[in-house]
């Protein structure tokens, strides 16, 4: 019975270690790809703003100007 408990504790510890290692690796990859984490966040916010602008343009299309009359005078 003690062996099973020990094996279960070792497995749980290993799973936690692997998860924490994967999270740390993902943070490092994000930093390397974006050169800096703040730049990465800035790009993410810009993407969100651009997506919101596209959604608003779909919902409320820009008003087209009437063609100008060149012979007005």
């Amino acid at each position: 019975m003690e062996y099973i408990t020990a094996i279960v504790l070792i497995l749980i510890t290993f799973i936690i270690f692997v998860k924490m290692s994967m999270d740390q690796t993902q943070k490092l990859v994000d930093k390397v790809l974006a050169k800096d984490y703040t730049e990465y966040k800035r790009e993410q916010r810009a993407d969100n703003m651009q997506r919101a602008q596209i959604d608003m343009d779909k919902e409320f299309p820009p008003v087209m100007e009437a063609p100008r009359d060149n012979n007005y005078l």
Side-chain angles (χ1 to χ4, degrees):
M1 187 68 179
E2 297 99 26
Y3 296 119
I4 294 174
T5 306
I7 291 173
V8 168
L9 288 176
I10 290 171
L11 286 175
I12 290 173
T13 305
F14 180 71
I15 290 171
I16 291 172
F17 171 76
V18 168
K19 184 188 179 325
M20 290 175 62
S21 175
M22 288 174 65
D23 290 344
Q24 186 65 26
T25 303
Q26 185 62 43
K27 283 182 184 177
L28 290 174
V29 167
D30 289 346
K31 281 186 179 183
V32 166
L33 289 177
K35 305 278 192 222
D36 188 20
Y37 191 70
T38 55
E39 183 179 333
Y40 167 75
K41 283 297 194 182
R42 188 178 311 126
E43 289 175 2
Q44 187 179 22
R45 282 194 299 270
D47 290 344
N48 290 342
M49 287 175 29
Q50 185 178 18
R51 200 173 306 120
Q53 184 65 41
I54 289 171
D55 290 343
M56 286 191 59
D57 285 345
K58 284 180 184 176
E59 197 166 322
F60 305 105
V63 178
M64 301 301 287
E65 247 184 64
R68 296 184 180 210
D69 186 10
N70 293 333
N71 298 324
Y72 178 69
L73 295 177

